[in-house]
Amino acid sequence: MSKNTVSDRFRKVDVDEYDENKFVDEEDGGENQSGPDEAEVDSLIRQGNLMGALQAVLKNPPINTKNQNVKDRAEVLVLKVLSSFKSSDIEKAVQALDKNGVDLLMKYIYKGFERPSENSSAILLQWHEKALSAGGVGSIVRVLTARRTV
Amino acid sequence: MKFAWLDFSSKTSEVPGGMAYHSFLLEPITCHAWNKDRSQIALCPNNHDVHIYKKDGAKWTKVQELKEHNGQVTGIDWAPDSNRIVTCGTDRNAYVWTLKGAQWKPTLVILRINRAARCVKWSPKENKFAVGSGSRLISICYFEQENDWWVCKHIKKPIRSTVLSLDWHPNNVLLAAGSCDFKCRIFSAYIKEVEEKPGPTSWGSKMPFGEMLFESSSTTGWVHSVSFSGSGNRVAWTAHDSMIAVADGEKTATISSFVSDSLPLLCVTFITENSLVAAGHDCYPALFVYDAGKGSIAFGGKLDVPKQSAQRGVSARERFQNMDKKATSEREEATLDTLHKNSISQVSILEGGKSKCTKFCTTGMDGGMAIWEIKTLESALKNLKIA
């Protein structure tokens, strides 16, 4: 059998990148999105104002930025807030959110499912149940169809 | 594989509320179109053909099979006055069918596309039709008398993905298009060879062929369906991110949207100037009401009269099993209590037009067709307000 002596690097080229008709999303300029304010959220948690902490952590979501660190930090912060709630208080907290808030919460919940830690999935599932009754399957559909997410 | 022993004859069932549901097929009805007096329906039974059924008392009998396409028929439209049928399919072709005696005869229309055709609509004056395709463009076809041949012109820019749905403005020139690039747009499809220059509309006054007069800001979902209102001053669309939106030409094209908590809607139509009926993956038609003053859309209610399901007590053992399996102790229905048993893919107006609809029809992936009467719905469902 003859041996292949020519390079086969061409097989690893991503041809879709060079397709001139490739769909490119519009630029939304998310470079200044820094995610929720860690200091503010931490102080609210320490004060025991968990409802306030939830509202604060859902502000400034790093949706448009390409900086993965900002996104990771935001997710960790959100998880911290969600874990501090007592199970019985979750429903009230979700009711206090508006439609956009519920959609955003759903996005963070699914992002949290992607990288499970110690007890995170159990807590997220409790939040998921309450968020689902508030936002319906529509909120999950929007998590799946979002072009840019947290 | 064809199972000859399966009975494919259509079954009609009387449902509470006087609405009729006909089970045509066991396969999805890909698309359908009605003739002028609603005595005949042309539909694609999820294959390469179009079947024409004629109303026969309470039954529907098949009168002809139109076999010409080499791929699934994705769109059918029946011109009411000139009585011509146009069909388009995944074989990249469109055919105009004319009745010669008792037989429908096809004429090929060259669309000049290299991807599947997805939707087709006759213009209000029936002298043109538009075809949306996966080639990321719209083919506007009209008949050229000298050559005795259908020719087409393309609207390309700035469409960047498959065109899923089309709807004509009553002025026969403007065309709304919903596309997989997440946008609803209004284009001018003015063809000087077949019509006079159009007068100004609420969307603009300069309408050369291919001009884009409106483009929606991004939803993040494919736009499944678009509909102009009866006057043409409003356009509504549904998108895959479970949103329904209305743009108002008389208010500098401001967009009002409704973020739904149900599954995506696949089809929408205006039934009055303010009210919309939309249906989709939740298998029931729903009413939405647009309030021009507030610039908002409200959910008007589910338009399906649910059957009264037998109430049965839940035993303690069942409760424990449900808690273990599904983490809930409620007894959940495993069957749908909607008329359609699968997603509704198309809605069409039967009577009253888009301004004062009294009857509409839905077909879906369950192979069934349902006819809904507004008066019956209004009396069956309290609090239903169709503005």
Side-chain angles (χ1 to χ4, degrees), chain B residues 146-285:
Chain B
E146 316 100 66
N147 295 322
D148 194 26
W149 185 238
W150 288 90
V151 294
C152 78
K153 280 191 173 167
H154 286 168
I155 297 178
K156 265 188 113 136
K157 291 206 168 35
I159 305 173
R160 295 198 293 145
S161 190
T162 306
V163 175
L164 287 179
S165 56
L166 296 166
D167 195 33
W168 288 90
H169 185 285
N171 76 351
N172 207 60
V173 171
L174 296 182
L175 181 66
S179 166
C180 283
D181 61 1
F182 323 121
K183 301 223 191 266
C184 166
R185 300 181 177 91
I186 298 180
F187 291 101
S188 161
Y190 168 64
I191 303 277
K192 60 182 194 296
E193 284 87 342
V194 300
E195 57 199 341
E196 298 292 310
K197 248 206 181 126
T201 68
S202 49
W203 301 100
S205 9
K206 290 244 179 288
M207 288 172 259
F209 179 84
E211 179 88 354
M212 185 177 78
L213 284 86
F214 167 78
E215 186 182 67
S216 67
S217 39
S218 301
T219 80
T220 51
W222 308 311
V223 178
H224 286 297
S225 178
V226 293
S227 172
F228 267 113
S229 66
S231 67
N233 289 323
R234 293 160 187 184
V235 68
W237 64 94
T238 57
H240 200 68
D241 55 353
S242 293
M243 290 240 276
I244 178 168
V246 171
D248 201 335
E250 290 175 317
K251 291 166 130 242
T252 55
T254 25
I255 299 174
S256 317
S257 44
F258 180 80
V259 171
S260 155
D261 57 2
S262 51
L263 293 176
L265 298 159
L266 294 175
C267 52
V268 67
T269 181
F270 274 93
I271 52 166
T272 67
E273 196 63 19
N274 296 315
S275 301
L276 297 149
V277 160
H281 290 296
D282 276 311
C283 317
Y284 58 78

Side-chain angles (χ1 to χ4, degrees), chain A residues 98-116:
Chain A
D98 63 354
K99 261 210 156 134
N100 286 334
V102 174
D103 281 353
L104 184 58
L105 177 64
M106 243 339 164
K107 290 196 170 76
Y108 277 120
I109 290 174
Y110 275 92
K111 186 83 197 297
F113 282 143
E114 284 173 32
R115 296 228 215 107

